[in-house]
Amino acid sequence: MKDAFGLPQSLLILGGTSEIALATARRLITRRTRAVWLAGRPSPRLEQAAEGLRALGADVRTVAFDALDPESHEAVLGKVFAEGDVDMVLLAFGILGDQARDEREPANAVRVAQTNYTGAVSAGLVSARALQTQGHGSLVVLSSVAGERARRSNFIYGSSKAGLDAFAQGLGDALHGTGVHVMVVRPGFVRSRMTAGLDEAPLATTPEAVAAAVEGGLRRRAETVWVPGALRLVMSAMRHVPRAVFRRLPV
Amino acid sequence: MPAETVSVTGWGRTAPTTARLIRPRTYEEAVAAVRGCGARGGIPRGLGRAYGDAAQNAGGAVLDMTGLDRIHAIDAADGTVLCDAGVSLHRLMQVLLPLGWFVPVTPGTRYVTVGGAIGADIHGKNHHVSGSFSRHVLSLELLTADGGVRTVERDTPLFDATTGGMGLTGVILTATIRLHPVETALMQVDTERAADLDDLMARLTTTDHRYRYSVAWIDLLARGAATGRAVLTRGDHAPLEALPKAARARRDPLAFRPSRLPAAPAFLPEGLLTRRTVGLFNALWYRRAPRARAGELQRIPAFFHPLDGVPHWNRVYGRSGFVQYQFVVGYGREETLRRIVHRISERRCPSFLAVLKRFGDADPGWLSFPAPGWTLALDIPAALPGLDAFLDGLDEEVAAAGGRVYLAKDSRMRPDLLAAMYPRLSDFRALRQELDPRGVFMSDLARRLTL
């Protein structure tokens, strides 16, 4: 169960090798979290991630989960929830893709969309129903500022996050009053494996900063969290920039 | 039987979860509710005054027992009452005071049910004289997980597991309670101030035995030399001869006249209770109290239940709610108490409801909270930064000193400290396993702490 401060005792991470997710898990383990499920494609990296969290004293289990195989989500996640309550689900899988190549090879672009959006719709709905049955829990969805307004430089990724973000907001409204809390997290540029080699955007942040923001959001039962917080203001201005101008902005 | 899905929290208004709320009005309906409460179980609930998550059950059933509120029999000669578990102490006072009887134990609110009083094995300002509520329970009827109803007598394992058992052994249906005789509905109260913590502890230690009821309000925002300054209010039921000859009260000495102020508004901004506002309140409250005043006559609500005058006072803590922290450390562990009071003072927790009192002998409830020693209770806004880690630190000091935290108030404790605090926990778990193997009785508290 979560405690009076909204901090979970058990955690399910969808996308178990995500650096943001693991930073969040590490942070929550120093608070109340004792049990962690890492869901992802079986790999040495997933096992390594589990080892890392075990070293912090948590009881960590891994489960084979593939965002691109929505047919399997019900069965896979059903097994996790059958083992006991999950106080928080962190939906953290997602791929950035390679914009230039994906524009040339639509099959690759579709893969980005299927992972980030279709997979999330499926896993999000399955998790939401399980949380609703247990009458409590938080579903934390890692969105991105890239979904707030599509940019020339990464609109394939951005559009998939835009879809995910809209889906998560709607899901949050649908679950309002059911005891399940949906929180959308919108980080800016995060220095991580995913963005290695890319030019840093202004207001760049770290997985640890996102983790801290997630914890803060849980405490406040927030519905939306921007990381860093200043992005809320920046993006509300950006939304209103005319397209002809936006197109030429160096973002 | 009506059932609706609702969001439930404790009095502290933290950690809401949803459950099916069922309101049985007959014993048969209660049996049916227990039999049909489903895979996630059920938990009885009274008037929702437990601060934490003891009477909520995410995804399962919550049995609102306030519909079962009959008083079956009063033995006015012998001073006992047989009543349903859903009867409130408020109602008992209304009915019993005119007959010259008072409830044996009352907490800081009258709006608790008899079932809740037994389930949390509550204590009052008279613990050092009268023990906890269960000491005055002669027997009770318990609806258990198999759907059967058992009569539970004193000095049995089931009685000791149920008193303080947080509703997890079954649903209490009725109880027979021994009452305390009174001549009037007024209290005769002595008030004095203590300049600091040592002064306070010395006064309580040397003179507490002279009073049936005793409590100290302590200013935890005072620092330096004034750390632990307090106002002591102690007294007993006023005898008839203590009432002034001409007073109206003389004509009707047993009249119970509670008054209520308007409720706190439903929506209050966050951050109303800051260090500054609470510090100001505390300073005024301390100075307002007389240095020493003896034999003042007070009404029962003013002496026992000042906050009951403001319905929904818990709303002043805003959306994030508040945490109540209450622990006990044994006599001889005064150093721990001093250290904790100093830590709270230095931490500047904006707490205006901090209470210190001395417990007497413990009662046998396995998860019963009171034990001989010092108990401190305080309210803190849940939104205070770093509060969770701070209270974890206090828990560790309490556990290391052989003390414990009160489960009826808890909403945040680390589960691994529980066994150290409650040595009979394994007995409780074993009895529950035998009595309720399928886990029919379940609460968020039980899940959080694996009770």
Side-chain angles (χ1 to χ4, degrees):
Chain A
M1 296 301 302
K2 57 188 181 246
D3 66 6
F5 308 105
L7 301 181
Q9 289 181 318
S10 57
L11 182 61
L12 163 61
I13 292 174
L14 303 174
T17 55
S18 148
E19 282 166 84
I20 293 177
L22 292 171
T24 306
R26 284 195 297 273
R27 192 175 178 96
L28 293 176
I29 288 169
T30 65
R31 305 291 188 259
R32 274 292 176 275
T33 302
R34 287 293 163 270
V36 183
W37 285 93
L38 290 184
R41 277 183 309 232
S43 69
R45 183 178 270 153
L46 188 66
E47 290 310 320
Q48 220 176 351
E51 260 330 298
L53 297 183
R54 273 182 206 121
L56 302 175
D59 169 23
V60 186
R61 284 184 278 182
T62 57
V63 56
F65 168 84
D66 186 354
L68 287 170
D69 182 14
E71 304 288 313
S72 68
H73 288 179
E74 199 119 14
V76 169
L77 299 181
K79 268 190 208 129
V80 171
F81 279 94
E83 295 275 323
D85 281 15
V86 174
D87 299 339
M88 170 176 153
V89 178
L90 178 55
L91 203 156
F93 58 79
I95 50 174
L96 186 56
D98 175 336
Q99 178 73 23
R101 190 194 61 191
D102 293 351
E103 283 179 38
R104 288 192 310 272
E105 300 169 16
N108 275 322
V110 167
R111 209 177 134 77
V112 172
Q114 280 180 337
T115 307
N116 296 0
Y117 179 68
T118 316
V121 166
S122 157
L125 287 174
V126 171
S127 304
R129 196 170 60 218
L131 294 175
Q132 216 182 326
T133 305
Q134 68 182 28
H136 73 101
S138 295
L139 173 61
V140 179
V141 178
L142 279 189
S143 175
S144 166
V145 286
E148 193 65 10
R149 187 156 187 190
R151 290 183 292 144
R152 169 67 193 92
S153 58
N154 67 359
F155 66 84
I156 295 173
Y157 172 79
S159 65
S160 72
K161 286 292 188 183
L164 169 66
D165 196 291
F167 165 76
Q169 288 180 57
L171 187 61
D173 291 339
L175 292 176
H176 187 77
T178 63
V180 181
H181 162 225
V182 178
M183 183 165 92
V184 179
V185 181
R186 295 188 190 127
F189 185 98
V190 181
R191 293 180 201 110
S192 67
R193 204 169 60 233
M194 187 193 251
T195 58
L198 296 183
D199 291 337
E200 232 174 65
L203 292 173
T205 186
T206 60
E208 287 70 29
V210 180
V214 168
E215 189 198 323
L218 290 171
R219 288 175 184 274
R220 297 191 307 274
R221 289 183 228 161
E223 295 182 316
T224 320
V225 172
W226 296 82
V227 199
L231 275 176
R232 182 189 290 267
L233 276 175
V234 172
M235 290 314 291
S236 70
M238 280 292 188
R239 261 198 302 271
H240 301 290
V241 174
R243 275 190 58 194
V245 179
F246 186 75
R247 212 174 272 147
R248 285 187 212 120
L249 287 181
V251 288
Chain B
M1 204 175 348
E4 50 173 341
T5 300
V6 294
S7 179
V8 185
T9 72
W11 191 243
R13 304 172 87 222
T14 56
T17 61
T18 47
R20 267 180 311 118
L21 191 74
I22 304 171
R23 196 158 184 269
R25 281 154 311 187
T26 63
Y27 303 141
E28 293 71 37
E29 286 188 347
V31 171
V34 166
R35 288 217 165 113
C37 64
R40 291 187 64 85
I43 193 77
R45 180 178 175 96
L47 288 161
R49 257 40 173 211
Y51 287 84
D53 49 7
Q56 58 194 73
N57 177 24
V62 168
L63 275 61
D64 176 345
M65 298 302 291
T66 55
L68 279 163
D69 61 349
R70 279 162 301 174
I71 296 175
H72 295 280
I74 300 168
D75 186 334
D78 205 26
T80 60
V81 61
L82 167 62
C83 65
D84 282 346
V87 173
S88 69
L89 297 193
H90 174 77
R91 174 115 177 82
L92 283 182
M93 285 175 211
Q94 279 181 327
V95 171
L96 296 170
L97 268 167
L99 303 173
W101 297 100
F102 192 61
V103 295
V105 167
T106 175
T109 170
R110 302 186 296 283
Y111 298 101
V112 298
T113 60
V114 166
I118 297 169
D121 200 12
I122 59 162
H123 57 272
K125 296 178 174 57
N126 56 345
H127 189 277
H128 60 293
V129 175
S130 309
S132 60
F133 197 86
S134 64
R135 190 176 294 181
H136 312 274
V137 176
L138 303 178
S139 75
L140 56 91
E141 282 187 301
L142 188 70
L143 165 54
T144 45
D146 53 13
V149 178
R150 309 174 189 215
T151 301
V152 184
E153 302 288 352
R154 297 189 62 84
D155 304 318
T156 60
L158 189 50
F159 188 91
D160 295 344
T162 301
T163 54
M166 306 311 293
L168 295 165
T169 59
V171 180
I172 298 168
L173 294 178
T174 68
T176 307
I177 305 157
R178 181 168 295 288
L179 303 166
H180 178 69
V182 294
E183 289 180 18
T184 73
L186 291 168
M187 305 302 297
Q188 203 170 24
V189 183
D190 291 357
T191 307
E192 60 192 283
R193 286 199 271 183
D196 58 44
L197 187 62
D198 287 335
D199 182 20
L200 171 64
M201 289 166 73
R203 283 170 195 251
L204 286 172
T205 305
T206 51
T207 56
D208 232 16
H209 62 276
R210 301 211 301 257
Y211 298 94
R212 172 173 298 276
Y213 299 99
S214 166
V215 73
W217 169 84
I218 174 167
D219 179 3
L220 288 174
L221 276 173
R223 280 187 296 184
T227 302
R229 70 178 175 187
V231 178
L232 283 74
T233 46
R234 296 180 293 177
D236 202 342
H237 298 278
L240 195 54
E241 75 217 25
L243 305 192
K245 292 262 181 314
R248 188 169 69 116
R250 265 270 162 142
R251 292 201 298 276
D252 191 5
L254 288 164
F256 177 53
R257 297 192 193 88
S259 57
R260 300 195 101 184
L261 298 169
F267 296 102
L268 282 166
E270 203 81 359
L272 212 56
L273 299 183
T274 62
R275 284 176 190 132
R276 189 177 296 270
T277 58
V278 175
L280 198 64
F281 170 87
N282 283 4
L284 288 171
W285 194 256
Y286 179 74
R287 285 178 213 297
R288 182 183 152 272
R291 246 174 247 288
R293 180 169 60 196
E296 184 197 3
L297 291 177
Q298 283 186 5
R299 292 182 190 284
I300 281 167
F303 182 72
F304 288 107
H305 320 114
L307 280 169
D308 281 349
V310 188
H312 301 294
W313 61 263
N314 54 342
R315 289 175 184 160
V316 302
Y317 288 91
R319 221 174 79 85
S320 315
F322 69 103
V323 166
Q324 166 123 151
Y325 190 67
Q326 182 169 5
F327 67 90
V328 57
V329 290
Y331 295 122
R333 295 295 191 158
E334 283 75 14
E335 265 326 297
T336 303
L337 175 69
R338 281 198 189 90
R339 207 160 45 235
I340 291 178
V341 167
H342 277 102
R343 281 179 71 172
I344 296 171
S345 290
E346 276 157 30
R347 184 68 179 63
R348 311 286 287 142
C349 290
S351 175
F352 70 106
L353 286 172
V355 162
L356 183 74
K357 86 159 260 102
R358 284 165 65 87
F359 278 151
D361 292 341
D363 286 279
W366 291 347
L367 299 188
S368 179
F369 167 68
W374 300 88
T375 183
L376 180 68
L378 61 148
D379 285 354
I380 316 168
L384 194 73
L387 183 59
D388 49 340
F390 177 68
L391 292 181
D392 282 355
L394 299 193
D395 283 349
E396 277 165 24
E397 294 225 21
V398 168
R404 58 174 67 129
V405 166
Y406 193 6
L407 295 182
K409 297 191 170 178
D410 179 57
S411 56
R412 31 99 2 228
M413 202 173 98
R414 241 172 59 198
D416 52 290
L417 287 177
L418 195 68
M421 292 182 176
Y422 289 91
R424 302 296 300 267
L425 180 66
S426 53
D427 295 321
F428 181 79
R429 283 178 177 154
L431 180 134
R432 237 187 117 203
Q433 182 57 39
E434 196 183 83
L435 191 70
D436 181 9
R438 287 182 302 119
V440 170
F441 294 108
M442 185 50 77
S443 65
D444 288 358
L445 175 81
R447 282 197 185 90
R448 186 166 54 79
L449 296 179
T450 37
L451 284 179

